[in-house]
Amino acid sequence: MDSEDLDARIISEKLYSFFGIEKMLVCGGGMADWTFLSAGVVDKLSLFLVPAADGEVNTASVFAKIPDSKNNAPVSFELKNVDVLTDGIVHLTYIPQNIQE
């Protein structure tokens, strides 16, 4: 790990030990999300699918690897729950399966 790399596991441990934070919402963009997921500190993925499209090519992704990152192993998910909400919105809940720490 480079001295400039973010160590999501250590950050999570410090948030717990210093502030008692047991749960957190990771929503910092695709690279931040991937950093926490690949470190093994994400226990649930919650996605809301909204039936709309704008065709924009520069849209955010849920997960994006940081260039030259050492965390390159794909992560699979197990579907745990599906909720159909109003206006055709679907809430999907997944559990990460094969995180390699």
Side-chain angles (χ1 to χ4, degrees):
M1 177 176 290
D2 218 342
S3 63
E4 295 179 11
D5 287 349
L6 176 72
D7 190 327
R9 181 168 294 284
I10 289 175
I11 289 171
S12 300
E13 290 169 358
K14 287 186 177 187
L15 286 171
Y16 176 73
S17 66
F18 293 148
F19 305 108
I21 296 173
E22 295 180 13
K23 290 185 180 186
M24 66 180 164
L25 173 66
V26 179
C27 54
M31 288 185 186
D33 295 348
W34 176 256
T35 299
F36 281 87
L37 177 69
S38 64
V41 296
V42 172
D43 62 356
K44 178 171 69 172
L45 171 62
S46 180
L47 291 176
F48 288 87
L49 299 179
V50 178
D54 65 4
E56 179 61 44
V57 295
N58 295 318
T59 58
S61 62
V62 177
F63 298 107
K65 294 178 187 175
I66 297 172
D68 300 322
S69 172
K70 292 164 185 59
N71 299 327
N72 290 321
V75 175
S76 63
F77 295 88
E78 178 184 348
L79 180 64
K80 284 299 191 183
N81 194 45
V82 177
D83 289 318
V84 178
L85 308 175
T86 60
D87 300 323
I89 298 170
V90 179
H91 178 206
L92 304 167
T93 306
Y94 293 93
I95 305 299
Q97 293 300 298
N98 63 327
I99 296 173
Q100 298 180 9
E101 301 172 30

